[in-house]
Amino acid sequence: MDDSLIASRTPLEHAHTREAIQQRLAKDASGNYLRDWIYGGIDGTITTFAIVAGIVGAALPGSVVLVLGLANLAADGFAMGAGNYSGTKAELDDYRRLLAIERKHIALEPDGEREEIRQIFAAKGFSGAELERIVEVITSDEDLWTKTMTIEEYGLSPAIKSPLLAALSTSTAFVLCGLVPLVSYLLAYSLTACVVATGVVFFAIGAVKSRWSLAGWLRSGLETLLIGMSAAGLSFAIGYALRALVHAPM
């Protein structure tokens, strides 16, 4: 089939009319919290399932599963969120620091900063009057000038996430997904039920993640399932290997 015909039948992700483009570009750039949800969800599921599997492997009572599982959800969930908050805030602080540096350089050495803009866009293939017009337009607006320098010189994007929302995304996903292996085990005291329920969560996270990936939902789901089950299997094996030590007389 002709490539142009295939392309004409392929649905596009958004409209390309003049009005649609204008509306899309007018929206404020905002951070994407997908990574925070995925990271928190996978980590919460893995760590809680690993606790359950390790305790079952060591043949410890179910009450230990409850205590350690809830402690993990509360403490590790908060720690994950706090760590993500600090990391995201550091990125935001760095972006603001570089903006301040560029504003200072523009104020003290405008000709040098203008030359930087000229060389940046010359490297992109612009030249002559066209290049000079680009330099003139960008350097006539200080905000545009500083943001352009931050993006082009340092590779930082202005679409910085909210540290608080990033932290809440990670902690919420950690707790919600981490509850599945804990609750599924405690309802039936069955490791098999826990394995099945946890496997469903791993696969679901991977399948959802595929919406923002070129990988298909089946491949992405199976990949996440394999990663999660490998971590839990390792925990079970360690618990089983240490069973004799745990039950050894004191």
Side-chain angles (χ1 to χ4, degrees), residues 25-36:
L25 295 181
K27 294 179 180 178
D28 292 334
S30 58
N32 188 328
Y33 298 92
L34 171 66
R35 175 186 175 278
D36 307 288

Side-chain angles (χ1 to χ4, degrees), residues 44 47-48 51 66-82 170-172 174-176 178-179 182:
T47 55
T48 310
I51 287 174
L66 177 62
V67 172
L68 293 185
L70 290 178
N72 170 73
L73 287 176
D76 207 7
F78 177 81
M80 288 282 294
T170 298
S171 293
T172 301
F174 185 98
V175 172
L176 291 178
L179 277 171
L182 181 62

